[in-house]
Amino acid sequence: GFDYGYSLDYPSMLCMWEAQFGDFANGAQVIIDQFIVSAESKWQRPSGIVLLLPHGYEGQGPEHSSARLERFLQLCAEDNIQVANLTTPAQYFHILRRQMKRNFRKPLILMTPKSLLRSEQCVSYLDDFTNGGFREILGAPILGKANEVTTVIFCTGKVYYDLLNYRDAQGRKDVGFVRVEQLYPLHEEALKEAVAAYPKAKKFIWCQEEPQNMGAWFFMEPRLRKLLRKEILFAGRDAAASPAVGALALHKIEQKQLVEQAFTL
């Protein structure tokens, strides 16, 4: 609440609130619901506050895994907030820069998995920072030719690297990826362009780490289906009451299964 108030009084300052774990946002739910997502509509009070919420299934147990992404997406309407789950350091830099360079203010909710801080794959070149800007939708390198891709896997956040490693290890030239870096507002034109890069694609899959009743599935599925006019298949954990399991060994089994599922549906 203090940081939210600060963002109102000092709109030219980049005000960021970081939870030690994503689930700590549970205690901030009253502020999120009552003020951050609705104050502009209720009282015409815009805020540029940034919420950094660690969110990523890394085998650390249920209290350390989820920022309840699905709750934020359920609150999205009328361009009230921005919700993103990024895959590169340059994207993180550019979205923060955009937050301050714009001539208006909107709250920014970022899923920030801790494991990507240590990942040797999650890197950007200097040119990535000095050129271009934030991109709401990203593609991915393909192993063969674009017209060989018959399956497109959509994802958001760090699960992309698990999927990429599996595809490369299996030599699957028939699979392409579309990364949804910003979930809301969803850049539909950029999404259609990313899919159009695979003209022979027939199968479309949404893959996520979260259980089926959590994460971005219920938000993205109707939008993808309407946009592509195709059935969207689901690859991820089964619906669950708890965000994650408590045992690292079981977590690894589930993670391996959901990645394999994305390639065998």
Side-chain angles (χ1 to χ4, degrees), residues 186-209:
L186 185 63
H187 197 319
E188 295 187 354
E189 287 303 314
L191 194 56
K192 285 194 286 188
E193 288 179 12
V195 175
Y198 309 117
K200 298 295 180 65
K202 298 178 180 178
K203 187 185 297 183
F204 300 93
I205 298 164
W206 176 264
C207 181
Q208 66 179 34
E209 300 177 297

PDB file of all heavy atoms in Angstrom, residues 186-209:
ATOM      1  N   LEU A 186      -3.138  -8.269 -24.855  1.00  0.00           N
ATOM      2  CA  LEU A 186      -2.636  -9.237 -25.817  1.00  0.00           C
ATOM      3  C   LEU A 186      -2.523  -8.600 -27.199  1.00  0.00           C
ATOM      4  O   LEU A 186      -3.503  -8.061 -27.716  1.00  0.00           O
ATOM      5  CB  LEU A 186      -3.559 -10.448 -25.871  1.00  0.00           C
ATOM      6  CG  LEU A 186      -3.108 -11.608 -26.752  1.00  0.00           C
ATOM      7  CD1 LEU A 186      -1.802 -12.212 -26.251  1.00  0.00           C
ATOM      8  CD2 LEU A 186      -4.202 -12.683 -26.813  1.00  0.00           C
ATOM      9  N   HIS A 187      -1.330  -8.664 -27.773  1.00  0.00           N
ATOM     10  CA  HIS A 187      -1.082  -8.071 -29.098  1.00  0.00           C
ATOM     11  C   HIS A 187      -1.496  -9.100 -30.157  1.00  0.00           C
ATOM     12  O   HIS A 187      -0.693  -9.904 -30.621  1.00  0.00           O
ATOM     13  CB  HIS A 187       0.396  -7.717 -29.235  1.00  0.00           C
ATOM     14  CG  HIS A 187       0.693  -6.757 -30.347  1.00  0.00           C
ATOM     15  ND1 HIS A 187       0.083  -6.825 -31.584  1.00  0.00           N
ATOM     16  CD2 HIS A 187       1.536  -5.691 -30.415  1.00  0.00           C
ATOM     17  CE1 HIS A 187       0.539  -5.867 -32.355  1.00  0.00           C
ATOM     18  NE2 HIS A 187       1.420  -5.146 -31.665  1.00  0.00           N
ATOM     19  N   GLU A 188      -2.747  -9.032 -30.552  1.00  0.00           N
ATOM     20  CA  GLU A 188      -3.302 -10.053 -31.437  1.00  0.00           C
ATOM     21  C   GLU A 188      -2.667 -10.030 -32.820  1.00  0.00           C
ATOM     22  O   GLU A 188      -2.465 -11.085 -33.431  1.00  0.00           O
ATOM     23  CB  GLU A 188      -4.820  -9.895 -31.522  1.00  0.00           C
ATOM     24  CG  GLU A 188      -5.527 -10.165 -30.204  1.00  0.00           C
ATOM     25  CD  GLU A 188      -7.033 -10.168 -30.339  1.00  0.00           C
ATOM     26  OE1 GLU A 188      -7.535  -9.849 -31.442  1.00  0.00           O
ATOM     27  OE2 GLU A 188      -7.715 -10.498 -29.350  1.00  0.00           O
ATOM     28  N   GLU A 189      -2.366  -8.839 -33.342  1.00  0.00           N
ATOM     29  CA  GLU A 189      -1.760  -8.760 -34.667  1.00  0.00           C
ATOM     30  C   GLU A 189      -0.373  -9.402 -34.688  1.00  0.00           C
ATOM     31  O   GLU A 189      -0.021 -10.131 -35.616  1.00  0.00           O
ATOM     32  CB  GLU A 189      -1.681  -7.302 -35.123  1.00  0.00           C
ATOM     33  CG  GLU A 189      -3.018  -6.699 -35.510  1.00  0.00           C
ATOM     34  CD  GLU A 189      -3.713  -7.499 -36.608  1.00  0.00           C
ATOM     35  OE1 GLU A 189      -3.036  -7.855 -37.591  1.00  0.00           O
ATOM     36  OE2 GLU A 189      -4.929  -7.760 -36.477  1.00  0.00           O
ATOM     37  N   ALA A 190       0.414  -9.122 -33.652  1.00  0.00           N
ATOM     38  CA  ALA A 190       1.747  -9.727 -33.561  1.00  0.00           C
ATOM     39  C   ALA A 190       1.642 -11.236 -33.393  1.00  0.00           C
ATOM     40  O   ALA A 190       2.467 -11.997 -33.915  1.00  0.00           O
ATOM     41  CB  ALA A 190       2.522  -9.115 -32.389  1.00  0.00           C
ATOM     42  N   LEU A 191       0.619 -11.678 -32.686  1.00  0.00           N
ATOM     43  CA  LEU A 191       0.402 -13.112 -32.493  1.00  0.00           C
ATOM     44  C   LEU A 191       0.065 -13.785 -33.817  1.00  0.00           C
ATOM     45  O   LEU A 191       0.604 -14.853 -34.146  1.00  0.00           O
ATOM     46  CB  LEU A 191      -0.721 -13.315 -31.479  1.00  0.00           C
ATOM     47  CG  LEU A 191      -0.911 -14.708 -30.880  1.00  0.00           C
ATOM     48  CD1 LEU A 191       0.362 -15.204 -30.212  1.00  0.00           C
ATOM     49  CD2 LEU A 191      -2.058 -14.698 -29.881  1.00  0.00           C
ATOM     50  N   LYS A 192      -0.789 -13.153 -34.598  1.00  0.00           N
ATOM     51  CA  LYS A 192      -1.157 -13.711 -35.910  1.00  0.00           C
ATOM     52  C   LYS A 192       0.052 -13.747 -36.850  1.00  0.00           C
ATOM     53  O   LYS A 192       0.230 -14.705 -37.602  1.00  0.00           O
ATOM     54  CB  LYS A 192      -2.291 -12.897 -36.528  1.00  0.00           C
ATOM     55  CG  LYS A 192      -3.641 -13.152 -35.900  1.00  0.00           C
ATOM     56  CD  LYS A 192      -4.793 -12.615 -36.732  1.00  0.00           C
ATOM     57  CE  LYS A 192      -4.888 -11.121 -36.655  1.00  0.00           C
ATOM     58  NZ  LYS A 192      -6.108 -10.595 -37.313  1.00  0.00           N
ATOM     59  N   GLU A 193       0.878 -12.722 -36.796  1.00  0.00           N
ATOM     60  CA  GLU A 193       2.090 -12.691 -37.623  1.00  0.00           C
ATOM     61  C   GLU A 193       3.051 -13.809 -37.241  1.00  0.00           C
ATOM     62  O   GLU A 193       3.674 -14.428 -38.108  1.00  0.00           O
ATOM     63  CB  GLU A 193       2.780 -11.334 -37.480  1.00  0.00           C
ATOM     64  CG  GLU A 193       2.052 -10.191 -38.161  1.00  0.00           C
ATOM     65  CD  GLU A 193       2.760  -8.868 -37.963  1.00  0.00           C
ATOM     66  OE1 GLU A 193       3.929  -8.880 -37.504  1.00  0.00           O
ATOM     67  OE2 GLU A 193       2.156  -7.816 -38.252  1.00  0.00           O
ATOM     68  N   ALA A 194       3.186 -14.073 -35.942  1.00  0.00           N
ATOM     69  CA  ALA A 194       4.093 -15.128 -35.474  1.00  0.00           C
ATOM     70  C   ALA A 194       3.612 -16.499 -35.950  1.00  0.00           C
ATOM     71  O   ALA A 194       4.419 -17.344 -36.348  1.00  0.00           O
ATOM     72  CB  ALA A 194       4.192 -15.095 -33.951  1.00  0.00           C
ATOM     73  N   VAL A 195       2.302 -16.712 -35.933  1.00  0.00           N
ATOM     74  CA  VAL A 195       1.744 -17.985 -36.390  1.00  0.00           C
ATOM     75  C   VAL A 195       1.845 -18.101 -37.910  1.00  0.00           C
ATOM     76  O   VAL A 195       2.107 -19.193 -38.453  1.00  0.00           O
ATOM     77  CB  VAL A 195       0.278 -18.131 -35.931  1.00  0.00           C
ATOM     78  CG1 VAL A 195      -0.347 -19.396 -36.517  1.00  0.00           C
ATOM     79  CG2 VAL A 195       0.197 -18.165 -34.415  1.00  0.00           C
ATOM     80  N   ALA A 196       1.686 -16.988 -38.602  1.00  0.00           N
ATOM     81  CA  ALA A 196       1.756 -16.990 -40.065  1.00  0.00           C
ATOM     82  C   ALA A 196       3.130 -17.394 -40.581  1.00  0.00           C
ATOM     83  O   ALA A 196       3.264 -17.798 -41.748  1.00  0.00           O
ATOM     84  CB  ALA A 196       1.376 -15.618 -40.609  1.00  0.00           C
ATOM     85  N   ALA A 197       4.130 -17.309 -39.725  1.00  0.00           N
ATOM     86  CA  ALA A 197       5.481 -17.721 -40.117  1.00  0.00           C
ATOM     87  C   ALA A 197       5.564 -19.228 -40.352  1.00  0.00           C
ATOM     88  O   ALA A 197       6.527 -19.711 -40.949  1.00  0.00           O
ATOM     89  CB  ALA A 197       6.488 -17.300 -39.049  1.00  0.00           C
ATOM     90  N   TYR A 198       4.540 -19.972 -39.888  1.00  0.00           N
ATOM     91  CA  TYR A 198       4.498 -21.427 -40.066  1.00  0.00           C
ATOM     92  C   TYR A 198       3.278 -21.781 -40.919  1.00  0.00           C
ATOM     93  O   TYR A 198       2.231 -22.181 -40.394  1.00  0.00           O
ATOM     94  CB  TYR A 198       4.424 -22.135 -38.709  1.00  0.00           C
ATOM     95  CG  TYR A 198       5.487 -21.684 -37.732  1.00  0.00           C
ATOM     96  CD1 TYR A 198       5.155 -21.051 -36.539  1.00  0.00           C
ATOM     97  CD2 TYR A 198       6.840 -21.895 -38.000  1.00  0.00           C
ATOM     98  CE1 TYR A 198       6.130 -20.651 -35.637  1.00  0.00           C
ATOM     99  CE2 TYR A 198       7.826 -21.500 -37.111  1.00  0.00           C
ATOM    100  CZ  TYR A 198       7.461 -20.869 -35.938  1.00  0.00           C
ATOM    101  OH  TYR A 198       8.432 -20.474 -35.041  1.00  0.00           O
ATOM    102  N   PRO A 199       3.369 -21.645 -42.228  1.00  0.00           N
ATOM    103  CA  PRO A 199       2.195 -21.784 -43.098  1.00  0.00           C
ATOM    104  C   PRO A 199       1.593 -23.187 -43.133  1.00  0.00           C
ATOM    105  O   PRO A 199       0.427 -23.348 -43.487  1.00  0.00           O
ATOM    106  CB  PRO A 199       2.743 -21.396 -44.481  1.00  0.00           C
ATOM    107  CG  PRO A 199       4.213 -21.630 -44.402  1.00  0.00           C
ATOM    108  CD  PRO A 199       4.595 -21.324 -42.995  1.00  0.00           C
ATOM    109  N   LYS A 200       2.367 -24.220 -42.773  1.00  0.00           N
ATOM    110  CA  LYS A 200       1.866 -25.600 -42.837  1.00  0.00           C
ATOM    111  C   LYS A 200       1.416 -26.117 -41.464  1.00  0.00           C
ATOM    112  O   LYS A 200       1.105 -27.297 -41.325  1.00  0.00           O
ATOM    113  CB  LYS A 200       2.959 -26.524 -43.382  1.00  0.00           C
ATOM    114  CG  LYS A 200       3.407 -26.204 -44.797  1.00  0.00           C
ATOM    115  CD  LYS A 200       2.287 -26.423 -45.793  1.00  0.00           C
ATOM    116  CE  LYS A 200       2.706 -26.104 -47.228  1.00  0.00           C
ATOM    117  NZ  LYS A 200       3.750 -27.012 -47.728  1.00  0.00           N
ATOM    118  N   ALA A 201       1.366 -25.255 -40.466  1.00  0.00           N
ATOM    119  CA  ALA A 201       0.998 -25.680 -39.113  1.00  0.00           C
ATOM    120  C   ALA A 201      -0.457 -26.153 -39.060  1.00  0.00           C
ATOM    121  O   ALA A 201      -1.353 -25.479 -39.582  1.00  0.00           O
ATOM    122  CB  ALA A 201       1.230 -24.550 -38.128  1.00  0.00           C
ATOM    123  N   LYS A 202      -0.669 -27.293 -38.449  1.00  0.00           N
ATOM    124  CA  LYS A 202      -2.014 -27.863 -38.332  1.00  0.00           C
ATOM    125  C   LYS A 202      -2.424 -28.092 -36.882  1.00  0.00           C
ATOM    126  O   LYS A 202      -3.609 -28.151 -36.570  1.00  0.00           O
ATOM    127  CB  LYS A 202      -2.086 -29.196 -39.087  1.00  0.00           C
ATOM    128  CG  LYS A 202      -1.836 -29.080 -40.579  1.00  0.00           C
ATOM    129  CD  LYS A 202      -1.879 -30.444 -41.243  1.00  0.00           C
ATOM    130  CE  LYS A 202      -1.625 -30.333 -42.736  1.00  0.00           C
ATOM    131  NZ  LYS A 202      -1.610 -31.673 -43.394  1.00  0.00           N
ATOM    132  N   LYS A 203      -1.428 -28.248 -35.992  1.00  0.00           N
ATOM    133  CA  LYS A 203      -1.707 -28.541 -34.584  1.00  0.00           C
ATOM    134  C   LYS A 203      -1.198 -27.384 -33.730  1.00  0.00           C
ATOM    135  O   LYS A 203      -0.071 -26.922 -33.894  1.00  0.00           O
ATOM    136  CB  LYS A 203      -1.041 -29.844 -34.163  1.00  0.00           C
ATOM    137  CG  LYS A 203      -1.412 -30.316 -32.757  1.00  0.00           C
ATOM    138  CD  LYS A 203      -0.622 -31.548 -32.360  1.00  0.00           C
ATOM    139  CE  LYS A 203      -0.913 -32.731 -33.254  1.00  0.00           C
ATOM    140  NZ  LYS A 203      -0.169 -33.942 -32.798  1.00  0.00           N
ATOM    141  N   PHE A 204      -2.063 -26.929 -32.794  1.00  0.00           N
ATOM    142  CA  PHE A 204      -1.715 -25.793 -31.947  1.00  0.00           C
ATOM    143  C   PHE A 204      -1.885 -26.185 -30.481  1.00  0.00           C
ATOM    144  O   PHE A 204      -2.947 -26.679 -30.088  1.00  0.00           O
ATOM    145  CB  PHE A 204      -2.575 -24.590 -32.294  1.00  0.00           C
ATOM    146  CG  PHE A 204      -2.428 -24.147 -33.721  1.00  0.00           C
ATOM    147  CD1 PHE A 204      -3.290 -24.620 -34.701  1.00  0.00           C
ATOM    148  CD2 PHE A 204      -1.408 -23.287 -34.096  1.00  0.00           C
ATOM    149  CE1 PHE A 204      -3.153 -24.232 -36.031  1.00  0.00           C
ATOM    150  CE2 PHE A 204      -1.258 -22.891 -35.420  1.00  0.00           C
ATOM    151  CZ  PHE A 204      -2.127 -23.367 -36.385  1.00  0.00           C
ATOM    152  N   ILE A 205      -0.850 -25.941 -29.688  1.00  0.00           N
ATOM    153  CA  ILE A 205      -0.820 -26.401 -28.299  1.00  0.00           C
ATOM    154  C   ILE A 205      -0.431 -25.256 -27.378  1.00  0.00           C
ATOM    155  O   ILE A 205       0.492 -24.487 -27.687  1.00  0.00           O
ATOM    156  CB  ILE A 205       0.196 -27.559 -28.136  1.00  0.00           C
ATOM    157  CG1 ILE A 205      -0.220 -28.756 -29.006  1.00  0.00           C
ATOM    158  CG2 ILE A 205       0.347 -27.974 -26.672  1.00  0.00           C
ATOM    159  CD1 ILE A 205       0.875 -29.774 -29.210  1.00  0.00           C
ATOM    160  N   TRP A 206      -1.130 -25.135 -26.261  1.00  0.00           N
ATOM    161  CA  TRP A 206      -0.700 -24.224 -25.196  1.00  0.00           C
ATOM    162  C   TRP A 206      -0.020 -25.065 -24.117  1.00  0.00           C
ATOM    163  O   TRP A 206      -0.616 -25.983 -23.582  1.00  0.00           O
ATOM    164  CB  TRP A 206      -1.878 -23.465 -24.589  1.00  0.00           C
ATOM    165  CG  TRP A 206      -1.435 -22.609 -23.424  1.00  0.00           C
ATOM    166  CD1 TRP A 206      -1.488 -22.926 -22.103  1.00  0.00           C
ATOM    167  CD2 TRP A 206      -0.826 -21.312 -23.504  1.00  0.00           C
ATOM    168  NE1 TRP A 206      -0.955 -21.906 -21.339  1.00  0.00           N
ATOM    169  CE2 TRP A 206      -0.551 -20.898 -22.177  1.00  0.00           C
ATOM    170  CE3 TRP A 206      -0.514 -20.454 -24.560  1.00  0.00           C
ATOM    171  CZ2 TRP A 206       0.048 -19.671 -21.880  1.00  0.00           C
ATOM    172  CZ3 TRP A 206       0.085 -19.230 -24.266  1.00  0.00           C
ATOM    173  CH2 TRP A 206       0.355 -18.851 -22.946  1.00  0.00           C
ATOM    174  N   CYS A 207       1.236 -24.747 -23.815  1.00  0.00           N
ATOM    175  CA  CYS A 207       1.975 -25.489 -22.791  1.00  0.00           C
ATOM    176  C   CYS A 207       2.296 -24.553 -21.633  1.00  0.00           C
ATOM    177  O   CYS A 207       2.780 -23.435 -21.835  1.00  0.00           O
ATOM    178  CB  CYS A 207       3.267 -26.073 -23.366  1.00  0.00           C
ATOM    179  SG  CYS A 207       4.224 -27.019 -22.147  1.00  0.00           S
ATOM    180  N   GLN A 208       2.034 -25.028 -20.413  1.00  0.00           N
ATOM    181  CA  GLN A 208       2.358 -24.249 -19.229  1.00  0.00           C
ATOM    182  C   GLN A 208       2.822 -25.177 -18.111  1.00  0.00           C
ATOM    183  O   GLN A 208       2.539 -26.378 -18.115  1.00  0.00           O
ATOM    184  CB  GLN A 208       1.144 -23.436 -18.763  1.00  0.00           C
ATOM    185  CG  GLN A 208      -0.023 -24.288 -18.275  1.00  0.00           C
ATOM    186  CD  GLN A 208      -1.200 -23.432 -17.795  1.00  0.00           C
ATOM    187  OE1 GLN A 208      -1.471 -22.361 -18.323  1.00  0.00           O
ATOM    188  NE2 GLN A 208      -1.897 -23.903 -16.769  1.00  0.00           N
ATOM    189  N   GLU A 209       3.545 -24.614 -17.160  1.00  0.00           N
ATOM    190  CA  GLU A 209       4.009 -25.377 -16.002  1.00  0.00           C
ATOM    191  C   GLU A 209       2.913 -25.535 -14.958  1.00  0.00           C
ATOM    192  O   GLU A 209       2.889 -26.507 -14.211  1.00  0.00           O
ATOM    193  CB  GLU A 209       5.194 -24.674 -15.352  1.00  0.00           C
ATOM    194  CG  GLU A 209       6.395 -24.498 -16.243  1.00  0.00           C
ATOM    195  CD  GLU A 209       7.496 -23.729 -15.529  1.00  0.00           C
ATOM    196  OE1 GLU A 209       7.282 -22.565 -15.169  1.00  0.00           O
ATOM    197  OE2 GLU A 209       8.568 -24.320 -15.323  1.00  0.00           O
TER     198      GLU A 209
END
